[in-house]
Each structure stands twice: as C-alpha cells, then as structure tokens.
Amino acid sequence: MEALHKPARSEFLQLRGLRLHMRHWGDPAAPRLFMLHGWMDVSASFQFVVDSLQREWHVIAPDWRGFGLSERSGRDGYWFPDYLADLDAILMHYSPHEPVRLLGHSMGGNVATMYAGIRPERIARLINLEGFGVADRAPGDAPAHYARWLDQLRTPARMLDYAALGDVVRRLQQNNPRLSDARAAFLAPHWAAQNAQGRWEILGDPLHKNSNPILFRAAEMLACWQRIAAPVLWVEGAEPRVGNTYGSKAQARAEFDRRRAHIAQVRTVFLDDAGHMVHHDQPELLAQEIETFL
C-alpha cells in the first residue's frame, strides 16, 4: 500500500506571455529544490520522489508550456530555446540572487544541463535524470526534416482521448510496465482531464507530437556542458533502453559516456530495476541519492 502523499499546492505565474502552472511542496522557508519534468509528462510526476525525501525541502516544479495546467503556446509548435527562457524567468522569479539546486528528468534534464552551462553562476547543484540529449543530426538531414515539419503543419495534430480514467491508468502502465497500480492511479488524473464530452484527454498540446524544425546538434549542447561550474549528479536507470535512437546498446553506452566526459564535476549513479522513468521506478533510492548529493 502506498503511503500518504505529501500535500502539493498550485500557483500560476504570468511569464513570457503565458500562464504557467507551478506545483509546490513543503515549507516555503525551507531550502529550495527545483524539479523539471520531461516530454509528455507533468510536474505531479515527482510526487513519489518528494514523498521519499527525508529532509524538509521547498520543492518547486513547473508544468512546461503546453503541458499539464500551463497555457499552450498558440503558435505552430514548441522550440527548445523557449524552455531555456522559461526556466530563466522562473528562477529569476523565485531566486533572483542565489544559485539554485536544480533537477531535471529527460527533456527537463536536457534543459537543466544546457542552462547550467549557459548561466553557470545560477546553479549551485545539478541533478540530471536520464536527460542526455537525443541522437546527433547532420546538416544534410535539414531539407527532408524541414519538409516533414511543413507537411505536419497542414494536418492538425491530435492527442488520443480515453473513455474512462481506468483507460488512462492502463496507458501509463503500457508506457512503463514497472508502474504500480497505486502510482498509475495517482498520476492518471494529473496526466489527463475530462473534456466537455466526458472523455479523458492527455494534458499536452498535440503540437508537441510534431517534429521540431530545429535540428539537434550535439556539439552545441556539449559546448554548453563544458561550461558547467556546479557539481553534477548523473542518474541513469540500469535497465537498457528499448528502441533508442543511438544504435545498439553498446553504441548508446559509448555515446553517453562520451557526452558525460564533457562535464567537469560529475558523479554517476545507476539505479537497479529502473528504466527511463527512474523517479517512478525507484523513488526511494533516488531520493536517497539526491539528498546525499545535496
């Protein structure tokens, strides 16, 4: 049986022209810890880690633009630099003068780690959960990539919806078979909401499904990583990725190790019996690693 969850509270900020939802846990006077969720996820995803923290923290976790309860962009898509700018605005709002403790998962880890090199003076400690970038793209990919993006704009994207909340629970467990019934049932009403027809819609702008027209260039990311001044905790799930874009398992391992080597002060942790969603699979062990590091 799951323990009682620590209570969360919501706040909405008007930043960079959008209404962004912020989820808070803990005493506002306690040390702050910022947590950034991944693609097609929401801030409530960190509930199980927050529940497992032993110290008193003021955890602040945004819903990224176009996810959860945050406003959608109203444009043709979502550009990675906007996440950097949103994070910059959020940190200036809550901690304009002091460096922060920052944690990010997956896409949120990509944002956090690049930001830590772009503004190294703003980060005291950085925790990267499975946020290691995607496969590099070559300039020669650009023509076909742009053409695909233009084609996608002609047909509006849509998210799947579900007849019942139980179907959302099953979808979450399909995404991550390690997710327990209790945790999936907690996440489902945060990950989806009922529409006017009574069906459950995923709380993500369908435009997130479109290709990003900006090609990912690993060299640019690593140039930022090399400027990180803060100590970094690098956390991976020990279970191999399925369907990764780096090639074979050995190729993926070699590429992750190559990228990690660009960070000056890094401690690496592999969590057993955990995949990409380490904060769902092993929240207790992850919380221990986080507090030891901090």
Side-chain angles (χ1 to χ4, degrees), residues 3-47:
L4 292 176
H5 296 297
K6 293 179 182 177
R9 56 193 182 277
S10 289
E11 179 186 17
F12 290 88
L13 300 179
Q14 195 72 24
L15 295 175
R16 304 190 61 242
L18 291 179
R19 187 172 185 257
L20 301 182
H21 174 243
M22 313 296 297
R23 190 176 303 274
H24 297 257
W25 291 270
D27 185 346
R32 286 186 292 264
L33 173 57
F34 293 86
M35 295 187 175
L36 310 177
H37 70 78
W39 186 78
M40 293 307 302
D41 206 353
V42 292
S43 58
S45 187
F46 292 114
Q47 181 71 56

Side-chain angles (χ1 to χ4, degrees), residues 40-222:
M40 293 307 302
D41 206 353
V42 292
S43 58
S45 187
F46 292 114
Q47 181 71 56
F48 316 126
V49 175
V50 172
D51 290 340
S52 302
L53 293 171
Q54 298 302 301
R55 286 186 53 190
E56 182 66 34
W57 297 96
H58 177 199
V59 176
I60 305 172
D63 285 337
W64 289 121
R65 57 174 55 207
F67 289 116
L69 302 181
S70 286
E71 191 176 0
R72 301 180 178 188
S73 75
R75 305 185 313 196
D76 285 332
Y78 292 84
W79 322 133
F80 189 84
D82 274 325
Y83 299 121
L84 295 169
D86 288 348
L87 176 58
D88 196 51
I90 290 167
L91 297 185
M92 282 299 295
H93 177 83
Y94 289 109
S95 186
H97 305 299
E98 294 182 6
V100 304
R101 305 168 192 86
L102 183 62
L103 175 152
H105 171 252
S106 194
M107 184 191 82
N110 294 332
V111 176
T113 309
M114 282 192 67
Y115 183 85
I118 295 166
R119 295 208 187 278
E121 73 283 359
R122 297 291 286 125
I123 307 301
R125 294 259 165 168
L126 174 66
I127 301 166
N128 184 331
L129 310 179
E130 291 268 326
F132 317 133
V134 296
D136 199 12
R137 300 299 297 271
D141 295 339
H145 189 75
Y146 280 121
R148 181 185 179 204
W149 175 66
L150 292 173
D151 290 342
Q152 289 174 332
L153 293 181
R154 294 177 177 176
T155 304
R158 62 179 297 271
M159 288 287 189
L160 294 176
D161 58 16
Y162 301 89
L165 190 59
D167 297 326
V168 179
V169 170
R170 286 184 284 276
R171 168 63 188 278
L172 286 165
Q173 292 180 309
Q174 179 183 346
N175 293 349
N176 180 12
R178 291 185 181 84
L179 193 62
S180 70
D181 291 344
R183 288 175 180 168
F186 172 85
L187 289 172
H190 293 287
W191 199 62
Q194 276 187 300
N195 60 22
Q197 291 73 43
R199 294 184 64 83
W200 289 84
E201 290 184 349
I202 296 172
L203 289 174
D205 189 335
L207 284 172
H208 285 297
K209 298 176 70 174
N210 285 358
S211 301
N212 190 322
I214 302 173
L215 291 176
F216 174 77
R217 304 300 301 275
E220 295 179 7
M221 177 188 77
L222 296 176

